[in-house]
Amino acid sequence: MSATETTRLQVDLDEFVAREYPKVVAAVGMITGSPRDAEDAVQDAIVGYLANPPQREIRNLAAWITVVASNRVRDVQRSRGAESRALATVGVSDESVDSVVEGLDVDVVKALDQLPLQQRQVCVLHYLLDQSVQTIAEGLGVSEGTVKTQLHRARTTLARLIERGNHRG
């Protein structure tokens, strides 16, 4: 992308944010029936616009972002629906899933969210689901040594993050 094209994208986006952003968020919320997801979806659409600009010229950026964000919210809603149906099929309610997370210390949940994916996976499988290192290795398709290494790194990082969190408040 040329410097001129980058500048044009930035000008278009700056103008959009200054004039259209609140209206687009409200519109996406009304279209999808999910005002709480609308802002995240609009922001995702903006990031997508910057990261991978459309090949064709966009005449109305607000309309384009509204459509992209609305589609994103509907995708999220379909995913949530599929997840709820899958949980219902095996006899687990959303409330019971939420209660497990609510039973955890807030600092632990925040610290887990900051771990890299594989470390978070092995921690949850090992400590919350009481899975063995061997079972985790088989499930993730990695060696037992990798699982042990990831557990060690995760414990070290969690201890640091939780300790830092306890000194703030």
Side-chain angles (χ1 to χ4, degrees):
M1 180 181 316
S2 71
T4 305
E5 291 172 322
T6 303
T7 302
R8 183 188 54 78
L9 285 176
Q10 191 60 47
V11 168
D12 290 349
L13 191 58
D14 288 344
E15 185 176 315
F16 166 78
V17 171
R19 296 180 186 197
E20 305 289 335
Y21 180 82
K23 289 188 275 188
V24 169
V25 170
V28 171
M30 287 188 286
I31 290 168
T32 62
S34 183
R36 109 188 135 106
D37 293 330
E39 189 163 16
D40 285 342
V42 169
Q43 291 172 4
D44 286 347
I46 291 169
V47 168
Y49 175 77
L50 290 173
N52 190 16
Q55 296 299 312
R56 62 181 174 79
E57 180 184 352
I58 302 298
R59 295 186 190 275
N60 185 330
L61 184 59
W64 186 86
I65 288 178
T66 300
V67 170
V68 170
S70 296
N71 290 339
R72 168 87 170 101
V73 171
R74 283 196 291 275
D75 289 346
V76 167
Q77 290 170 335
R78 278 193 292 274
S79 177
R80 285 181 188 151
E83 182 179 306
S84 291
R85 287 188 301 278
L87 290 172
T89 300
V90 295
V92 177
S93 69
D94 289 340
E95 292 80 26
S96 65
V97 171
D98 292 341
S99 70
V100 170
V101 174
E102 288 171 3
L104 296 174
D105 184 274
V106 174
D107 291 333
V108 171
V109 173
K110 285 180 184 177
L112 279 169
D113 285 343
Q114 294 179 49
L115 291 177
L117 176 61
Q118 192 172 38
Q119 289 179 22
R120 188 170 50 245
Q121 286 174 322
V122 297
C123 277
V124 169
L125 290 167
H126 189 69
Y127 295 113
L128 295 178
L129 296 180
D130 200 28
Q131 298 293 309
S132 70
V133 169
Q134 179 183 5
T135 302
I136 295 169
E138 290 171 3
L140 294 177
V142 297
S143 71
E144 289 182 35
T146 298
V147 172
K148 290 176 184 177
T149 299
Q150 295 300 319
L151 280 171
H152 173 75
R153 290 177 181 165
R155 281 191 300 264
T156 302
T157 302
L158 287 171
R160 184 176 37 81
L161 290 169
I162 292 170
E163 181 65 27
R164 189 174 1 153
N166 287 336
H167 287 287
R168 287 189 195 155

